[in-house]
Amino acid sequence: DRKGDKTPALWLVLSIVASPVVYYVYYFLNDDFRAHEYNERQFMLKASEIMNKLNISEKQIEPQMVVPERNFVKFLVLSIVTCGIYAIYWLYTIINDPNMHFDDHAAWEALLLETVQS
């Protein structure tokens, strides 16, 4: 016993309308995380410089920029041309980039802790 028809036209319209929203979210997830990493790196470089001037440390703490800069237009076009298949890779990068960032984060946090404790 079915509970009403599933109108294909409605689902087609919803997919067309919702699809741009997903790409919009993907864009800001990529862009915001890259900006966060840049700002965090600037902060750590300045903190390291201050610790060196105060003779707290002689080591230079320099976190890497591990989140690559992603070209939104390229990712969008490839996602459209491949009928969404490339969007799967795009989603993978959105999930994996923060993992790379936090792995690097852990390394310089350990160095910072070592510096402060010695």
Side-chain angles (χ1 to χ4, degrees):
D1 185 33
R2 286 183 30 189
K3 296 185 179 186
D5 288 337
K6 310 300 186 267
T7 310
L10 173 64
W11 289 104
L12 177 63
V13 169
L14 285 174
S15 345
I16 292 169
V17 170
S19 182
V21 172
V22 168
Y23 294 128
Y24 180 77
V25 170
Y26 283 9
Y27 168 75
F28 283 106
L29 285 173
N30 277 328
D31 196 46
D32 286 351
F33 207 78
R34 177 76 178 171
H36 160 79
E37 184 176 63
Y38 175 80
N39 290 332
E40 189 174 67
R41 182 174 190 276
Q42 298 304 1
F43 170 79
M44 283 308 301
L45 290 172
K46 192 65 167 174
S48 183
E49 180 184 319
I50 291 168
M51 287 190 302
N52 291 342
K53 284 182 181 178
L54 295 173
N55 293 323
I56 295 172
S57 170
E58 294 176 7
K59 297 177 186 175
Q60 179 70 25
I61 299 172
E62 190 167 340
Q64 302 302 308
M65 293 290 288
V66 295
V67 175
E69 203 165 335
R70 307 234 183 246
N71 185 321
F72 171 73
V73 174
K74 177 180 116 180
F75 274 52
L76 180 62
V77 168
L78 286 171
S79 295
I80 293 168
V81 168
T82 62
C83 298
I85 294 171
Y86 198 81
I88 295 168
Y89 170 72
W90 196 354
L91 181 59
Y92 170 82
T93 66
I94 289 171
I95 294 167
N96 192 52
D97 286 352
N99 292 338
M100 292 186 320
H101 169 78
F102 291 121
D103 287 345
D104 185 60
H105 208 283
W108 64 258
E109 280 181 351
L111 181 59
L112 179 62
L113 184 60
E114 176 188 318
T115 301
V116 171
Q117 287 179 338
S118 55

